[in-house]
Amino acid sequence: MDNKFIITITDIKGSRQYNIHQFMKHILLYVLLSIIVVILVSFATIRLLLGEIATIEKNRNKLIEDYNRIEAINKSLDEEIAQKNNDITVIRGQLGHLEGFVGVSNGETNANEEQTNIEQLLERVNVARITAEQKGFTLRMLPNGSPLQHFQVSSNFGYREHPLIKKREFHTGIDLRVPVGTSVYATADGVVSFSKKGYNGGYGNMVKIEHAYGFHTAYAHLSELAVKEGEFVKKGQIVAYSGNTGLSTGPHLHYEVIFLGKRLQPKHFMNWTMRNYDDIFEREKEIKWQSLLNSISTIREFISMPIIEESEVKEME
């Protein structure tokens, strides 16, 4: 009986006994222990795998968040780049208009190289700026543009039959028809050399302005004077108001441009702008433009020179 292992099974039908050899008992015990070990190992492995899965899931979610954040940054950068490109396109167009305004030809750009594109754009901006400064300085010193904002030409410069005395004579200026009291503007910086009311030889109330390099402008048939003799004026400053004084057939402004005592065609100077800056050099060939512009350039460079401090003067001494 020592080598027997008896298993008794009892149910409603009664009890039954099975005799198992002791060796089988050990086998069953080992199998049972193996099953328990397998179950325990499997449970531990499952727990470990679940932990790894949770870690992987966490890392995956973090990678998705990083990807979404980078994607959002890339989208924002793409939008910013697109906006910058649009801005450059707009700036290039505006620069083209500016270059046309100051009379500078557009520079060629290489569309395949963005860096070169930007460098050339900056170079064009610098050229336009320098050109505008140079021409603007000249156009402040010499008569240019219209002394009125709105007008109609009633009589041009040159020979004509005088409307009152009915005699052919040389008209020394241009007559611009405007209502009485219209603002009259200086066409360049200068100093008022004449400002008087009265008949003044038929000119009526009159203002004359002396500009640089022998240029003068005259404004006649005025209703009121806004400046006095000896007063310095700037381009665009109101110097008088139009009228119908002196030998005049109706309200208008008589405007003259004078160089070294000689009357010049006012239209040439009224139409003189940065855009057609060089045209006047062909229209008024009697003026020594090259030497005049060289002199103006020298003055401009001198004005733009840095101020030397007293301490620096002492060091140079």
Side-chain angles (χ1 to χ4, degrees):
M1 294 296 292
D2 293 336
N3 295 326
K4 299 290 183 178
F5 181 67
I6 301 173
I7 296 176
T8 303
I9 298 175
T10 303
D11 55 16
I12 57 175
K13 295 181 179 182
S15 297
R16 285 172 292 182
Q17 292 183 346
Y18 299 92
N19 296 322
I20 301 175
H21 194 273
Q22 188 69 26
F23 178 73
M24 292 301 296
K25 179 182 71 172
H26 290 294
I27 291 176
L28 291 175
L29 180 60
Y30 291 147
V31 169
L32 180 61
L33 289 175
S34 298
I35 293 172
I36 293 173
V37 170
V38 169
I39 292 173
L40 292 175
V41 171
S42 298
F43 181 76
T45 302
I46 291 172
R47 289 287 299 272
L48 180 62
L49 290 175
L50 290 175
E52 292 292 333
I53 291 172
T55 301
I56 292 172
E57 184 71 18
K58 182 178 179 180
N59 292 335
R60 186 183 74 87
N61 292 336
K62 186 176 183 303
L63 289 174
I64 291 174
E65 291 178 359
D66 292 342
Y67 174 81
N68 291 334
R69 185 176 67 256
I70 293 173
E71 187 72 14
I73 293 174
N74 288 337
K75 183 178 179 181
S76 176
L77 290 175
D78 288 340
E79 292 176 352
E80 186 174 349
I81 291 172
Q83 182 62 45
K84 295 297 182 184
N85 289 333
N86 291 336
D87 292 343
I88 290 175
T89 302
V90 172
I91 291 172
R92 186 179 291 112
Q94 293 176 344
L95 178 58
H97 290 300
L98 176 61
E99 288 172 330
F101 178 75
V102 300
V104 178
S105 60
N106 294 346
E108 295 295 331
T109 58
N110 185 354
N112 296 324
E113 298 183 13
E114 182 178 357
Q115 185 64 28
T116 302
N117 218 355
I118 294 175
E119 289 177 356
Q120 291 181 351
L121 191 63
L122 292 174
E123 182 179 352
R124 287 171 58 188
V125 170
N126 192 43
V127 170
R129 178 185 62 80
I130 294 173
T131 303
E133 289 178 356
Q134 291 173 339
K135 294 182 178 180
F137 188 77
T138 301
L139 293 176
R140 289 202 65 88
M141 299 182 69
L142 306 182
N144 66 93
S146 173
L148 299 168
Q149 291 184 344
H150 306 284
F151 59 87
Q152 289 182 336
V153 177
S154 57
S155 184
N156 282 303
F157 175 82
Y159 282 98
R160 67 165 188 175
E161 182 179 287
H162 195 282
L164 288 179
I165 64 177
K166 304 300 180 181
K167 180 181 177 181
R168 181 174 169 80
E169 63 178 12
F170 191 86
H171 190 220
T172 56
I174 187 171
D175 290 345
L176 309 175
R177 184 185 297 119
V178 286
V180 173
T182 302
S183 298
V184 178
Y185 303 93
T187 53
D189 294 354
V191 59
V192 179
S193 59
F194 184 91
S195 179
K196 291 183 180 180
K197 290 187 175 183
Y199 186 71
N200 291 319
Y203 283 106
N205 300 337
M206 187 178 185
V207 168
K208 288 184 180 180
I209 301 176
E210 181 178 343
H211 308 287
Y213 297 99
F215 283 90
H216 293 74
T217 52
Y219 313 79
H221 305 304
L222 306 170
S223 60
E224 294 294 336
L225 311 178
V227 292
K228 298 178 181 179
E229 291 184 9
E231 184 177 341
F232 288 89
V233 296
K234 292 184 176 294
K235 177 178 172 60
Q237 179 179 334
I238 296 176
V239 295
Y241 298 91
S242 65
N244 189 28
T245 58
L247 190 61
S248 173
T249 58
H252 73 283
L253 171 70
H254 176 84
Y255 175 63
E256 295 182 2
V257 177
I258 309 159
F259 177 68
L260 298 179
K262 181 179 179 180
R263 266 68 175 179
L264 304 178
Q265 170 60 272
K267 274 189 177 181
H268 294 168
F269 292 87
M270 291 173 65
N271 296 330
W272 189 20
T273 64
M274 285 190 182
R275 189 182 297 275
N276 60 357
Y277 184 78
D278 296 335
D279 290 356
I280 199 166
F281 306 148
E282 293 297 323
R283 296 180 181 275
E284 297 292 343
K285 292 184 178 181
E286 294 183 6
I287 300 174
K288 307 299 182 183
W289 288 109
Q290 190 58 54
S291 60
L292 188 153
L293 294 176
N294 289 339
S295 179
I296 292 177
S297 179
T298 301
I299 292 176
R300 178 182 171 275
E301 292 176 0
F302 179 78
I303 293 175
S304 62
M305 289 176 59
I307 299 175
I308 301 177
E309 299 293 340
E310 183 178 353
S311 58
E312 295 178 352
V313 174
K314 291 180 179 180
E315 290 179 1
M316 289 189 289
E317 293 176 350

